[in-house]
Amino acid sequence: MPDLWLPGAERHPLTDTAPTETQYAPRVIWHITWDRNATATKPADLVPFDNLVRYFTSAGRSAAPHLLWDPFTGRTAQFYPANSRSKSVVDVAGGTRTNRTGRVCLQVETLFFPNCRVNGRTYATVRDTPAKGLDKILAWTRSWKVPDTWPMGAPTWSAKRNEHTWRTEGGHYGHSQVPENTHTDPGPMPKWPTSTTAPKPGPPPFPGRDAFGPGRTNASILLLGQQLVRRGYSKHYVVGPSRTWGEADRRNTADFQRAQGWSGSDADGYPGPQTWSRLFNN
């Protein structure tokens, strides 16, 4: 399993964790803290990093992200583990679960506002910053299988929202692209550093419950058995997995399901979409 905490980040764990909706693809939401309003003719000094740490662990904890990132120094602080939702976008009751959509829904608050001043220089967008530490953040998001794509296009200062895209495509989103929200940040972002390793292929699609059970013979049963072996759930196989469903497939699948903490009908040995997702995504 990938690291729940970004390696090297300062940890300030908040205790009100909550699960995400893991049936959706993994994603990242990018923000800027926008602490001050400045202009090109009247720039303002960047707010100290520690001020934001104190804010997100006290008065601003109801809007805390996963990460606070300083693109000028590379310093990062983390408030929630990757498998919890965080709270930096509006999430309307009864609507799209904007803070929860995805196997992970990682949110990054970039310490930045337009025309901030750092060491005497003014920066109009995050794209203009040194973006120190971005490579480490992206290596972490890639470990959670977030693709290096912007499904709604790279952010600008304009809002662009499409709920269907949000629900069906993993990748990186700006706050300006999240349903139910009205913000226009983060504005133009840096180009992603190239990954040093080829991205891992995504999990095979779930073939449906009817693919499994007595009398069934197909490639999905063999694929299931091979993955059970890879994950260490193979003690009931005498020879090994095959294309034909057998009691050993059911018993090995049940062992895996029980290892997830499931019981009763949730651990009956017949794979559903949640079993399939857990088996191939972890």
Side-chain angles (χ1 to χ4, degrees), residues 15-34:
T15 58
D16 59 329
T17 59
T20 57
E21 296 187 337
T22 57
Q23 69 269 36
Y24 296 105
R27 66 205 57 218
V28 181
I29 305 172
W30 293 87
H31 309 251
I32 59 174
T33 53
W34 214 321

Side-chain angles (χ1 to χ4, degrees), residues 38-40 42-46 71-72 112-132:
T39 65
K42 290 185 177 181
D45 290 336
L46 189 67
F72 299 99
F112 187 84
F113 54 86
N115 301 300
C116 63
R117 184 170 52 213
V118 178
N119 296 326
R121 179 178 170 181
T122 300
Y123 296 84
T125 70
V126 180
R127 185 175 56 194
D128 304 320
T129 73
K132 291 183 178 180

Side-chain angles (χ1 to χ4, degrees), residues 7-245:
E10 303 166 18
R11 297 186 185 185
H12 302 274
L14 300 176
T15 58
D16 59 329
T17 59
T20 57
E21 296 187 337
T22 57
Q23 69 269 36
Y24 296 105
R27 66 205 57 218
V28 181
I29 305 172
W30 293 87
H31 309 251
I32 59 174
T33 53
W34 214 321
D35 318 277
R36 294 174 178 167
N37 290 317
T39 65
T41 56
K42 290 185 177 181
D45 290 336
L46 189 67
V47 175
F49 187 91
D50 289 323
N51 287 16
L52 272 297
V53 171
R54 286 192 291 270
Y55 173 73
F56 285 129
T57 54
S58 55
R61 63 189 299 139
S62 63
H66 288 86
L67 296 180
L68 172 66
W69 169 51
D70 184 343
F72 299 99
T73 66
R75 186 178 174 188
T76 54
Q78 187 168 350
F79 306 99
Y80 288 103
N83 62 351
S84 171
R85 63 90 182 90
S86 59
K87 296 183 172 182
S88 290
V89 292
V90 170
D91 193 344
V92 176
T96 299
R97 303 307 300 272
T98 52
N99 282 309
R100 298 175 183 247
T101 304
R103 181 189 178 211
V104 292
C105 186
L106 304 169
Q107 300 199 51
V108 183
E109 286 277 2
T110 304
L111 181 62
F112 187 84
F113 54 86
N115 301 300
C116 63
R117 184 170 52 213
V118 178
N119 296 326
R121 179 178 170 181
T122 300
Y123 296 84
T125 70
V126 180
R127 185 175 56 194
D128 304 320
T129 73
K132 291 183 178 180
L134 178 59
D135 55 341
K136 295 179 181 178
I137 294 174
L138 291 177
W140 186 55
T141 64
R142 289 169 184 146
S143 76
W144 284 99
K145 300 185 179 178
V146 178
D148 288 349
T149 58
W150 296 95
M152 294 189 202
T156 65
W157 290 117
S158 298
K160 180 181 179 181
R161 302 181 180 93
N162 183 303
E163 186 162 347
H164 176 75
T165 301
W166 168 257
R167 292 177 67 87
T168 58
E169 295 190 37
H172 295 262
Y173 291 86
H175 191 176
S176 59
Q177 298 170 333
V178 180
E180 302 176 357
N181 285 256
T182 60
H183 288 214
T184 59
D185 62 304
M189 292 288 290
K191 290 185 178 180
W192 288 163
T194 302
S195 173
T196 56
T197 57
K200 295 181 180 179
F206 179 59
R209 296 179 188 274
D210 290 345
F212 308 100
R216 300 291 193 272
T217 298
N218 54 65
S220 295
I221 295 171
L222 177 60
L223 187 61
L224 171 77
Q226 291 171 334
Q227 187 68 0
L228 286 166
V229 171
R230 292 189 190 100
R231 297 294 301 276
Y233 297 90
S234 60
K235 70 180 183 181
H236 301 292
Y237 288 130
V238 176
V239 177
S242 72
R243 293 171 56 89
T244 299
W245 181 265

